[in-house]
Amino acid sequence: MLSTHEIRYGDWATLGRDAAAIRTEVFVREQNVPAELEMDDKDAVCLHAVAYDAAGVPVGTGRLLPDGHIGRMAVLPSARGTGVGGALLQGLMAQARTRGHRGVALSAQTHAAPFYSAHGFQQAGEEFFEAGIAHVEMRHGF
């Protein structure tokens, strides 16, 4: 837990409302990802993480899929640069380790690849497009 953020972990029934609000703001409104692509059936089987600021407002989210992939990392514009994204990423990586994964993988938007590289991720493969946005596959071993 950071001094100004609290990260909660849980299933979609517990955290879905807050996670969906953040993802809708960042992916659907800010990045123009179609809403039907953003919310998917994988949400039901993921471990979700939501970061809350000191006032209890949800400001960031991410999810861990059963296969060790991290996805749907999103931080509201007002909370960017505060360390909440890194805290969410490190928290999800710790959860993956606890679950016995030997590493994690994610599809990073290309502009965010330096953020993941700073956390020890390495690019694996060529750039590809998902929902019209350039991505790269990245991996981190434990």
Side-chain angles (χ1 to χ4, degrees):
M1 183 161 119
L2 295 175
S3 58
T4 56
H5 296 98
E6 175 191 359
I7 299 176
R8 298 180 199 158
Y9 301 93
D11 60 14
W12 189 246
T14 304
L15 295 174
R17 182 175 171 187
D18 290 342
I22 295 164
R23 286 165 46 183
T24 297
E25 180 65 29
V26 172
F27 296 125
V28 178
R29 292 196 185 106
E30 186 180 326
Q31 299 181 354
N32 297 309
V33 172
E36 60 273 13
L37 293 180
E38 175 46 37
M39 304 303 161
D40 62 21
D41 58 1
K42 293 177 184 169
D43 281 322
V45 298
C46 288
L47 174 69
H48 295 270
V50 175
Y52 297 85
D53 68 12
V57 176
V59 295
T61 190
R63 70 182 188 182
L64 177 65
L65 284 83
D67 67 359
H69 271 75
I70 291 173
R72 301 303 199 267
M73 289 280 300
V75 174
L76 294 179
S78 62
R80 291 180 190 155
T82 65
V84 69
L88 280 163
L89 182 61
Q90 292 296 322
L92 287 167
M93 290 169 65
Q95 294 288 328
R97 275 190 216 97
T98 299
R99 291 175 170 216
H101 294 291
R102 294 180 177 212
V104 290
L106 52 83
S107 296
Q109 292 184 8
T110 302
H111 72 85
F115 165 80
Y116 294 106
S117 293
H119 289 275
F121 282 77
Q122 295 184 344
Q123 184 172 331
E126 299 300 313
E127 187 175 74
F128 63 95
F129 284 82
E130 188 174 305
I133 299 169
H135 285 73
V136 290
E137 186 75 16
M138 301 189 81
R139 300 186 188 288
H140 187 296
F142 299 146

